[in-house]
Amino acid sequence: MAKRQSHLLEVGGRELPLSNLEKPMFPSGFTKGQAIDFYIKISDYLLPHLKNRPVTLKRYPDGVTAKYFYEKDAPKYTPKWVTRFPVPRRSGASDICYVLINNLATLIWSVNLANLEMHPFLHRVPKLETPTAIVFDLDPGQPAGILESAEVALLLKKALSAAGLKSFAKVSGSKGIQMYVPLNRAVHYNQTQPYARGLAEMLEREHPDLVVSEMAKEKRHNKVFIDWSQNSDFKTTVAPYSLRARQEQPFVSLPVSWEELARAVKRGKADSLYFAPEQALARLRKTGDLFAPLLSLHQTFAPKAKHA
């Protein structure tokens, strides 16, 4: 249990010095102190999904409207008690020493560095080539938005169900939706990425006015790009229960049910798929972790996507 003090936070017997708690991080006035408070309250849901996954820090030292930067290597001033894991660079140079956010103290320490978004890999250390899930990042091109993303998510769910696979969705906290197919078995990225690409290309053929599987941004106009390339050992995806630093106010990347997505599409209610921090916390007290199956569900997929 975290005990609050003046500019110090005691967590698990450690005193964490905090800074600039009143500093606004969002134009709405949401402060760094509020961000820390949110992550404390949601940590029981978030931390199991971060455990033993290398994390890329996405830091906003002057808030979301100013420059931000990604930080892969743990900063030199990282406390000794923070767990790290060395990952070989593709260039063959020295290893990247990633932070592992495995406990509340590390989580708070990172948010105090203005790490507002949590970006873990799909694998857990030390198995760097073994993703625990397949992910599809649905990214709409203007003027398409989150409702079009939800429509594509429902089409993709149908295709996955035809292949005998259960899938789970979360809103990104922005315009997109991310879908996960838990595996939790010995697979390699060189199996999961072709499978994801095959499904994306199949849906593009079947729904050419709505879906695109190519990365070129000029091809995404009013369509939803199914980003299959996230299934890589060098790419991260925003974690469930992470804040997003994309808009005037913070929204949460939050798991949703398939019924909710279908209802939002039917009613044209885009605002029903955005969750402010307090709204997300209140909802979690009722629903629990809708992404819990990602931690334990074992599934097997065929080498090639099955056509629905």
Side-chain angles (χ1 to χ4, degrees):
M1 188 73 180
K3 180 182 177 183
R4 292 189 177 279
Q5 298 180 13
S6 178
H7 299 295
L8 285 176
L9 196 64
E10 186 179 322
V11 183
R14 301 187 187 281
E15 285 194 341
L16 305 181
L18 305 179
S19 61
N20 301 317
L21 295 181
E22 300 304 318
K23 189 173 188 177
M25 292 284 103
F26 291 80
S28 64
F30 192 84
T31 66
K32 185 163 74 167
Q34 288 176 293
I36 290 172
D37 186 63
F38 167 78
Y39 276 115
I40 290 172
K41 291 176 179 176
I42 211 160
S43 59
D44 285 346
Y45 299 97
L46 170 64
L47 287 172
H49 294 282
L50 295 180
K51 186 176 181 181
N52 288 336
R53 299 187 193 274
V55 171
T56 296
L57 305 181
K58 190 176 183 182
R59 297 177 58 183
Y60 296 80
D62 295 307
V64 303
T65 59
K67 290 184 178 180
Y68 65 87
F69 62 96
Y70 290 96
E71 192 163 35
K72 297 181 179 182
D73 262 314
K76 292 182 180 180
Y77 46 82
T78 300
K80 292 182 178 179
W81 51 264
V82 171
T83 304
R84 283 151 280 193
F85 191 89
V87 175
R89 294 181 192 270
R90 291 179 174 274
S91 64
S94 59
D95 293 344
I96 302 172
C97 197
Y98 281 97
V99 169
L100 302 183
I101 300 181
N102 285 352
N103 53 57
L104 180 57
T106 304
L107 177 62
I108 296 169
W109 167 81
S110 81
V111 181
N112 189 57
L113 296 180
N115 176 43
L116 296 181
E117 297 185 353
M118 305 296 147
H119 285 263
F121 288 87
L122 288 173
H123 51 262
R124 298 184 188 274
V125 301
K127 299 178 180 180
L128 304 181
E129 297 180 341
T130 303
T132 60
I134 301 171
V135 66
F136 300 88
D137 190 2
L138 310 183
D139 184 13
Q142 292 288 355
I146 196 166
L147 291 178
E148 287 78 11
S149 294
E151 188 176 350
V152 172
L154 292 164
L155 293 172
L156 185 51
K157 175 189 181 292
K158 182 179 179 181
L160 289 163
S161 295
L165 293 169
K166 292 183 179 181
S167 56
F168 302 83
K170 68 179 177 70
V171 294
S172 69
S174 184
K175 297 183 300 179
I177 289 175
Q178 282 112 23
M179 287 179 57
Y180 289 73
V181 179
L183 300 174
N184 295 305
R185 57 176 60 250
V187 296
H188 194 285
Y189 282 108
N190 63 17
Q191 296 170 292
T192 58
Q193 187 180 98
Y195 184 81
R197 182 173 186 171
L199 270 178
E201 291 174 344
M202 180 188 80
L203 286 181
E204 182 180 34
R205 290 192 299 270
E206 295 179 351
H207 306 276
D209 294 332
L210 180 62
V211 176
V212 63
S213 66
E214 297 179 62
M215 294 186 188
K217 289 192 175 182
E218 61 269 18
K219 295 189 177 183
R220 302 186 198 179
H221 177 73
N222 205 28
K223 296 182 181 182
V224 177
F225 171 46
I226 300 179
D227 189 353
W228 47 266
S229 71
Q230 291 296 112
N231 298 282
S232 303
D233 64 359
F234 60 92
K235 288 195 173 184
T236 62
T237 304
V238 69
Y241 310 114
S242 173
L243 291 176
R244 296 311 305 275
R246 294 293 187 91
Q247 304 194 49
E248 293 284 306
Q249 61 178 313
F251 290 109
V252 181
S253 185
L254 198 67
V256 291
S257 70
W258 291 113
E259 292 76 15
E260 287 176 292
L261 287 184
R263 188 162 57 246
V265 171
K266 183 178 180 180
R267 297 178 180 176
K269 292 283 189 180
D271 58 352
S272 69
L273 299 178
Y274 288 91
F275 301 90
E278 287 304 318
Q279 185 182 6
L281 290 165
R283 171 189 164 89
L284 277 169
R285 288 190 285 270
K286 296 179 181 180
T287 66
D289 183 9
L290 296 180
F291 258 32
L294 266 69
L295 303 174
S296 58
L297 179 60
H298 294 262
Q299 297 192 104
T300 302
F301 65 98
K304 292 183 179 181
K306 291 182 180 180
H307 290 245

